[in-house]
Amino acid sequence: MAAVHAQNAAAPAAKPAKPGLSRDLLHVQVILDRLGFPPGPLDGRDGASLASALKGFQLSRGLPVTGKPDTRTLQALHQYRSIRPTRTLRLTADALSGPFVRPWPKDVAAQAKLKSMGYRTALEKLAEMFHTTPEVLIELNSPDTRLAPGVPVEFPNAIPGSRDYPADLKPEWRKTLNDLNVDANQPKANRVVVDKSDKVLRVFGQDGKLAAQFNVTVGSTRDPLPIGSWKVNGVATNPEFHYNPKLFWDVSDKKPDALLPPGPNSPVGVVWIDLSKEHYGIHGTPEPHTIGRTESHGCIRLTNWDAARVALMVAPGTPVIFQE
């Protein structure tokens, strides 16, 4: 973990200090993540992502929607207190296995020659496995922690309750779900609603009630969210990505097309949920910390672990509504 620490140490001195990790807030985040209202990366910090997750949970429980961990919300979460904020686990050879891609080629043509759009480092892989960031893992442990089999490491408690994934899933997709600690038990969606103003994707269950909510990145000024009613055409797991410069306003049309291999660092992450609106989909991302903070080229972008979770909730024909 020393390399990331060195990068942090080299940051300009004038940059405001980032608030430290709060284990109390991390506990709230971990419980929300388990209940289907994740705040994005589990980082033990307050902010817009946690406020959005709390609002979703409060809506689902009929609580005043404050976006704060207030008394009534904490009372509602109290029954889940046995879900501890962190777990200390010994690293395994499988968790540390690659192959890893380094140095990472920035040129699309060079990326197309890769065997996989894999993780850059074992630390990046471990962070996604436990729904967090490399920086948080360093903060919970030490910059000097060795990444080797048998070494105990403290992680946010993103351990799923079940790994009993449907038998008809492709073996490589089952492995991806397992690697990302995605719980096998997910509600089946009656409909999905993407809210542009709140930057969230809401899943309503078969009973019509709010069952889950995820922070998302939704379009941009140049590529606005196509407001309207659509549906899921299908789900492509660990997909290849057809890079077509003509679909990107910020890329020259003279650039050649490219077919990028699958992998968590693909532009669409580990899954593409294809929609009836041409060229639009719900997908993962190689940069989970940017969700809700940057713009996209029109599609709905989530963290890889959240996108994988949504993929288990939807099916061909599931209605998807885009609203202001």
Side-chain angles (χ1 to χ4, degrees), residues 198-272:
D198 289 343
K199 296 182 181 179
V200 296
L201 180 153
R202 297 188 177 100
V203 176
F204 293 85
Q206 295 299 312
D207 58 2
K209 297 179 180 179
L210 180 61
Q213 178 183 289
F214 304 91
N215 292 325
V216 296
T217 293
V218 287
S220 64
T221 303
R222 295 291 296 264
D223 295 295
L225 186 74
I227 304 303
S229 297
W230 317 100
K231 66 179 180 179
V232 172
N233 282 340
V235 176
T237 58
N238 295 313
E240 295 178 325
F241 177 70
H242 179 203
Y243 178 80
N244 182 355
K246 294 182 176 62
L247 299 179
F248 298 95
W249 60 267
D250 52 351
V251 177
S252 170
D253 288 355
K254 296 179 181 179
K255 293 277 187 178
D257 286 18
L259 185 64
L260 303 184
N265 274 325
S266 160
V268 294
V270 300
V271 67
W272 170 267

Side-chain angles (χ1 to χ4, degrees), residues 121-144:
T121 64
L123 182 58
E124 183 186 27
K125 178 182 179 182
L126 290 170
E128 288 224 347
M129 288 180 72
F130 291 91
H131 306 180
T132 190
T133 65
E135 291 76 15
V136 169
L137 291 185
I138 292 171
E139 196 169 3
L140 285 173
N141 297 275
S142 161
D144 301 318

Side-chain angles (χ1 to χ4, degrees), residues 26-212:
L26 181 61
H27 199 186
V28 170
Q29 290 179 329
V30 164
I31 293 173
L32 289 171
D33 183 83
R34 186 75 64 91
L35 296 178
F37 297 89
L42 304 172
D43 61 2
R45 290 173 169 83
D46 204 357
S49 296
L50 177 56
S52 181
L54 284 166
K55 288 178 181 179
F57 174 76
Q58 291 162 344
L59 273 171
S60 73
R61 300 305 195 270
L63 299 169
V65 181
T66 64
K68 300 180 183 299
D70 50 41
T71 301
R72 289 190 61 181
T73 300
L74 291 177
Q75 288 173 342
L77 293 171
H78 185 70
Q79 63 182 302
Y80 306 104
R81 64 191 180 281
S82 62
I83 302 171
R84 305 313 299 162
T86 64
R87 290 276 297 274
T88 298
L89 303 170
R90 292 190 179 276
L91 297 176
T92 65
D94 183 61
L96 296 170
S97 66
F100 300 112
V101 182
R102 54 184 180 221
W104 184 264
K106 295 182 178 180
D107 182 68
V108 173
Q111 292 175 3
K113 296 177 182 178
L114 296 173
K115 292 183 178 180
S116 167
M117 299 284 280
Y119 293 113
R120 298 169 179 85
T121 64
L123 182 58
E124 183 186 27
K125 178 182 179 182
L126 290 170
E128 288 224 347
M129 288 180 72
F130 291 91
H131 306 180
T132 190
T133 65
E135 291 76 15
V136 169
L137 291 185
I138 292 171
E139 196 169 3
L140 285 173
N141 297 275
S142 161
D144 301 318
T145 301
R146 289 188 312 115
L147 298 184
V151 174
V153 172
E154 187 176 13
F155 296 101
N157 186 12
I159 305 298
S162 170
R163 299 180 191 272
D164 187 18
Y165 306 114
D168 60 346
L169 297 182
K170 297 176 182 177
E172 58 269 27
W173 181 233
R174 291 167 64 91
K175 185 179 188 312
T176 298
L177 294 171
N178 184 69
D179 285 349
L180 290 172
N181 280 320
V182 175
D183 200 302
N185 295 322
Q186 301 294 341
K188 296 303 178 185
N190 169 271
R191 70 185 187 281
V192 171
V193 177
V194 176
D195 192 296
K196 179 181 177 181
S197 58
D198 289 343
K199 296 182 181 179
V200 296
L201 180 153
R202 297 188 177 100
V203 176
F204 293 85
Q206 295 299 312
D207 58 2
K209 297 179 180 179
L210 180 61

